[in-house]
Amino acid sequence: MQVLPGIPDIAPGDDLAALLLESIERAALSLQDGDILVIAHKVVSKAEGRITRLADVVPGEKARQLGLELNKDPRKVEVILGESSRVVRAIKRPGQLEGTLIAEHRLGFICANAAVDESNVGAEETVILLPEDPDRSAREICALLERASGVRLGVVITDTFGRPWRMGLVNVAVGLAKVPSQIDLVGERDAFGRELSVTVPALADELAAASGLLMSKDGKTPAILFRGIDWTPDNSSARDLVRPQQEDLFR
Amino acid sequence: MQVLPGIPDIAPGDDLAALLLESIERAALSLQDGDILVIAHKVVSKAEGRITRLADVVPGEKARQLGLELNKDPRKVEVILGESSRVVRAIKRPGQLEGTLIAEHRLGFICANAAVDESNVGAEETVILLPEDPDRSAREICALLERASGVRLGVVITDTFGRPWRMGLVNVAVGLAKVPSQIDLVGERDAFGRELSVTVPALADELAAASGLLMSKDGKTPAILFRGIDWTPDNSSARDLVRPQQEDLFR
C-alpha cells in the first residue's frame, strides 16, 4: 500500500492516466501484474469536468424550499436533486449551520448530498459531482494504464461516505475496473472444515477503506497503489455494492 | 501491512500476547514505535474462554419463539438475546435455511446475531461471543506487547459486520487500545485553504477494513501488523464508533 506522490491539482481535460504514470515513474515504481490503483473520485471528476459553477444554476421550487428548510444554498440543493433519484431524509440539527440531504444517488448509492462536494474545488462557488459513470471512468483509466505498462491491473474509484449506526467517515468504492466488488466464499471451508456459507467480503470497499489510511484529507494524495492483494479480475460494477432495498435486513 | 504468520488455533487460557510475540519473532520482525496490531476478535474471545457450549444453554420462552420463527436453534437464540440489549429485526427470507436476528449488542454495536458466531469454533455445538469488554482486551494485549518490546503500540480488535445499504461484509473495530476511533480534522484546511468542517475519518474502522484484505477467511491469519500509519495515541473506545441514535441521519 503506497501513496503515488506528486499528483498535481487536476483541471478539466487533464490526462489523469498520464499523470498517474508520471507519478509512478517519479516514485521509481513500475506497475506489476495484479496491482490495484485506488483513486479518489475528486481527481477523476475534475479531469472529466464534472464541476458545476453555482452561478450557472437556477434552483427550482423544490430546491428553493429545501434550501430554506436546511439553510442551504438552493443552487447547491438543485445540483444535489439533479444527482438524486430520491431524497431519503432532509435534516438540519439545532446549532448546525447548514443541513444535509441524505439522498439516493442516481447510481444507487445512499449518501450525504448525493455525493456533491464543495471541498477542494479551488474556486469558491463551484461543486464537484461524481463522474457520470464511475465504472466507465475506472475502466478507461485501467485500460490506459494497462496499455502503457503491459501488465494486468485493477482500478477502484472512491468517495468518502458517512454510515448508518457508526460514527466517522470511510472511503467506499463508487467505480470499479476488474476489481471484484465482493469475494464469494460460499462453498469454501474455514479452518475447521465447516462450510462458509455467508462470508462475502466486500473486497472493493476494503480497498477503498484502506486507501483512506494514506489519502491525506487535504486532497494531495488522491491515488494509492496496492500490491500483493489476492484477487481475480471480474466484471463487477460498483453498483453491485448497492444492497437492493428488499434484501436490506438492516433497514 | 503484514500478516503475522503461524498463529496456532487458540484455546481458552492461551497467552495470546505471547503467541503474537512468537509470531513476530518468527517473521523476523521487531515491533517499532507506532506499530498497530489489528486482531480478529475470535482469537481474543477464544483465549478468554468466551465460548458457550450449546448443550449447556436452556432457551427461555422468547428464544424458543424466535427459534421457531427463524428456524434457528433456540439455544443459539438464547445466547444471542443474552448478548443483546435490543432486537432490531428478526427475519427469515423465503429459501433461507436459518433466519437472522439483527440486534443491538450490549456494547451498542448493531449487527447480525449480536456478533455471536459459529464458524471456526472447532467443536460443532459451540458458539463464540465477543470478548466481555473488547477495549479492555485490546488494552491488556497492548500493555503486554509494549512491555515486551519497549515501544509504543496500538491494538484494534475487529469483527466482521454486514452493513445497511451496501452489500458484502467488512471488518470493523470492536475494541481499541490507544488507536483513535476517529481523526477529528475540524479546523484543518484542505488543499485550497478551505476549512474542513465535517471530515472525520473513522481511523479504527479504516484499519479494521484494511485488515480484511490480509485476514484469510479460513481464520488462519487473525493478526495483521500496520506500520507507517500517521496516528497519535488517545483514549478512544470502540464504543465511540457507535452513532447515537438521535444523531443518526441515515436511519
Side-chain angles (χ1 to χ4, degrees), chain A:
Chain A
M1 192 166 52
Q2 164 149 10
V3 169
L4 295 193
I7 309 277
D9 182 32
I10 303 294
D14 281 351
D15 184 344
L16 184 58
L19 293 167
L20 292 169
L21 287 166
E22 275 174 35
S23 165
I24 288 162
E25 198 168 323
R26 192 179 310 121
L29 287 164
S30 57
L31 289 172
Q32 294 180 11
D33 229 46
D35 282 356
I36 297 174
L37 270 174
V38 180
I39 307 170
H41 88 88
K42 267 187 198 163
V43 290
V44 181
S45 295
K46 285 178 181 174
E48 295 182 358
R50 294 281 291 164
I51 302 173
T52 296
R53 289 181 57 219
L54 290 184
D56 298 337
V57 177
V58 180
E61 176 55 31
K62 191 176 175 190
R64 288 201 303 274
Q65 195 187 318
L66 282 166
L68 271 176
E69 274 176 44
L70 300 176
N71 190 36
K72 209 176 178 77
D73 188 326
R75 302 170 302 170
K76 211 156 63 183
V77 175
E78 181 67 33
V79 177
I80 293 167
L81 293 176
E83 285 287 279
S84 303
S85 56
R86 167 171 82 95
V87 172
V88 176
R89 200 162 165 196
I91 195 163
K92 180 176 172 300
R93 286 205 216 94
Q96 213 180 6
L97 188 63
E98 178 182 324
T100 304
L101 281 167
I102 307 298
E104 182 172 326
H105 186 274
R106 60 189 166 74
L107 297 172
F109 312 120
I110 299 181
C111 56
N113 298 324
V116 172
D117 214 319
E118 297 171 82
S119 139
N120 285 14
V121 187
E124 271 300 305
E125 293 274 293
T126 59
V127 289
I128 302 183
L129 285 59
L130 281 191
E132 197 173 288
D133 179 346
D135 285 330
R136 188 183 63 206
S137 306
R139 285 169 192 157
E140 284 171 1
I141 293 167
C142 190
L144 288 164
L145 295 177
E146 286 190 332
R147 205 170 309 147
S149 64
V151 296
R152 287 169 303 175
L153 303 169
V155 170
V156 178
I157 295 176
T158 67
D159 196 5
T160 306
F161 281 9
R163 308 169 293 170
W165 299 341
R166 292 185 73 81
M167 298 293 285
L169 307 175
V170 293
N171 287 354
V172 299
V174 296
L176 294 180
K178 301 198 178 177
V179 175
S181 61
Q182 300 153 73
I183 300 177
D184 196 338
L185 298 178
V186 176
E188 294 195 25
R189 284 169 192 286
D190 69 19
F192 297 94
R194 179 198 303 272
E195 198 163 311
L196 296 167
S197 54
V198 290
T199 306
V200 183
L203 176 67
D205 277 348
E206 290 178 334
L207 288 160
S211 76
L213 293 167
L214 296 185
M215 279 184 190
S216 69
K217 304 314 175 214
D218 65 7
K220 296 192 173 180
T221 56
I224 311 292
L225 177 67
F226 286 79
R227 182 161 291 167
I229 303 298
D230 181 22
W231 66 289
T232 307
D234 74 6
N235 291 314
S236 284
S237 158
R239 286 177 186 239
D240 300 335
L241 287 160
V242 176
R243 194 180 283 278
Q245 191 156 356
Q246 67 277 16
E247 275 196 23
D248 201 336
L249 297 186
F250 293 93
R251 281 192 237 220

Side-chain angles (χ1 to χ4, degrees), chain A residues 1 170 206 209-213, chain B residues 1 34-39 154-156 158 171-173 176 179-181 183 202-215 224-231:
Chain A
M1 192 166 52
V170 293
E206 290 178 334
S211 76
L213 293 167
Chain B
M1 191 165 55
D35 282 356
I36 297 174
L37 270 173
V38 180
I39 307 170
V155 170
V156 178
T158 68
N171 287 355
V172 298
L176 294 180
V179 175
S181 61
I183 300 177
L203 176 68
D205 277 348
E206 290 178 334
L207 288 160
S211 76
L213 293 167
L214 297 184
M215 279 184 189
I224 310 292
L225 178 68
F226 287 79
R227 183 161 291 166
I229 303 297
D230 180 21
W231 67 290

Side-chain angles (χ1 to χ4, degrees), chain B residues 2-19:
Chain B
Q2 162 148 12
V3 169
L4 294 192
I7 309 278
D9 183 32
I10 302 295
D14 281 352
D15 183 346
L16 183 58
L19 293 166

Side-chain angles (χ1 to χ4, degrees), chain B residues 185-245:
Chain B
L185 298 178
V186 175
E188 294 197 23
R189 284 171 190 284
D190 69 20
F192 297 94
R194 180 196 303 272
E195 197 163 312
L196 296 167
S197 53
V198 290
T199 306
V200 183
L203 176 68
D205 277 348
E206 290 178 334
L207 288 160
S211 76
L213 293 167
L214 297 184
M215 279 184 189
S216 69
K217 303 314 175 215
D218 65 7
K220 295 193 174 179
T221 55
I224 310 292
L225 178 68
F226 287 79
R227 183 161 291 166
I229 303 297
D230 180 21
W231 67 290
T232 306
D234 73 6
N235 292 315
S236 284
S237 157
R239 286 177 186 238
D240 300 334
L241 286 159
V242 176
R243 194 180 283 277
Q245 192 157 354

